Amino acid sequence: MGGAVTVVGSLNHDIAVSLERLPTAGETVAGGPVRRGVGGKGANQAVALARLGRRTRMVGAVGADAEGAALRAALAAEGVDVADVATVEGPSGTAIVLVHGGESTIVVSAGANERLDAARVRAAAGPIAQAAAVLVQCEVPDSALVAAAELASGLYVVNPAPARRLPQAVLSRADVLVPNLGELSVLTGAAVPDDPDDIVDLARALRPAAATVVTCGGDGAVVVEPTGVVRIPAVPTTLVDATAAGDSFVAAVTDALLDGASLADAARWASRVAAVTVSRPGASASLPRRAEIPA
């Protein structure tokens, strides 16, 4: 498939445990078996794109530890180019994932991801500038996002997760912004919207002349463009583990746009990809290959 993608973002060593119920403060509860694997929003999106058949390059940082070496090796085994994944002193990023009722509660220790600064991103200027699309998220410093925005010449897709206010240089450069409801709330400073019209109003207030796709979990997604609004229903599925659902959605939107799809059709494709993702356990382990997406 044509159209290479460069992902600028995080790589985490995931430690996941399924629970019958989440503990309260000061309480210990029994969990299921520990699952370890590749995570981090950047790495998840890179693996998702590679499994959909895209030539994908990762720009990030891991620690000089066994987890860092394993993360690089795992992405390379998926076909992701890791030439721009730096190895730095200190620990790799780590995520503790608690899965309860199919939903995931995640605590992230940034580790090496905090070291992905503007200088490290600019060191990958060629792959970023030459990419048909560049994806960024918010598990790395703002300086990395700004540098990627300045270097990107193709499609620039921003997934503002975990939620925080973003520099205007990132918001204004983004061709497509893909927040969930909570992230839209943080970006706008408003309450979490629970009415479809409020979602549209907030998206337009934030980016009146640009495209935003707001993901709404089991309620699907809302595509807001200057020319109109399209509501995308969720694809029926069996919820097993929602970890990486958003990452697979963002990757699939980008994949479809590079094939020339409209943003609404890209969101429909992404909903199908995410429906498969949430039906399986794990983060990157749950991400489907193109042949696994039902027609």
Side-chain angles (χ1 to χ4, degrees):
M1 297 179 66
V5 182
T6 296
V7 179
V8 178
S10 57
L11 302 92
N12 290 329
H13 171 63
D14 277 5
I15 303 172
V17 181
S18 294
L19 304 172
E20 292 294 329
R21 63 181 181 84
L22 295 175
T24 59
E27 182 184 23
T28 299
V29 298
V34 171
R35 297 194 311 272
R36 298 176 183 270
V38 175
K41 302 195 75 62
N44 290 341
Q45 291 175 21
V47 171
L49 284 158
R51 289 188 179 180
L52 291 174
R54 289 286 165 191
R55 288 186 295 118
T56 307
R57 193 174 184 114
M58 182 82 211
V59 178
V62 296
D65 52 17
E67 290 78 12
L71 286 167
R72 285 177 56 92
L75 261 67
E78 294 284 351
V80 176
D81 188 332
V82 295
D84 294 303
V85 175
T87 299
V88 301
E89 290 301 317
S92 296
T94 301
I96 309 299
V97 184
L98 304 179
V99 181
H100 167 64
E103 297 293 344
S104 53
T105 301
I106 304 173
V107 178
V108 175
S109 176
N113 294 307
E114 291 185 327
R115 305 279 294 279
L116 186 65
D117 56 13
R120 292 190 190 281
V121 173
R122 292 191 185 105
I128 294 173
Q130 294 161 15
V134 175
L135 271 68
V136 301
Q137 326 78 35
C138 293
E139 287 182 335
V140 295
D142 280 351
S143 62
L145 310 186
V146 172
E150 293 170 349
L151 292 167
S153 60
L155 189 69
Y156 183 62
V157 180
V158 178
N159 175 215
R164 69 169 183 254
R165 293 292 187 99
L166 288 175
Q168 190 57 42
V170 174
L171 279 177
S172 61
R173 173 63 183 86
D175 295 294
V176 183
L177 183 75
V178 191
N180 64 21
L181 293 174
E183 292 150 7
L184 182 63
S185 168
V186 171
L187 288 170
T188 59
V192 177
D194 57 7
D195 180 273
D197 291 336
D198 291 340
I199 296 171
V200 174
D201 290 344
L202 290 181
R204 285 203 162 137
L206 182 66
R207 288 159 49 83
T212 301
V213 181
V214 184
T215 58
C216 308
D219 292 325
V222 181
V223 176
V224 183
E225 296 183 275
T227 54
V229 174
V230 180
R231 292 179 172 84
I232 309 296
V235 174
T237 189
T238 300
L239 178 61
V240 172
D241 184 350
T243 308
D247 296 327
S248 69
F249 186 96
V250 175
V253 164
T254 306
D255 169 66
L257 290 175
L258 290 179
D259 278 344
S262 68
L263 188 55
D265 282 345
R268 292 185 182 98
W269 165 241
S271 294
R272 290 163 55 199
V273 174
V276 176
T277 302
V278 303
S279 72
R280 311 195 290 203
S284 65
S286 69
L287 298 167
R289 301 185 186 280
R290 186 173 293 271
E292 297 177 298
I293 312 301

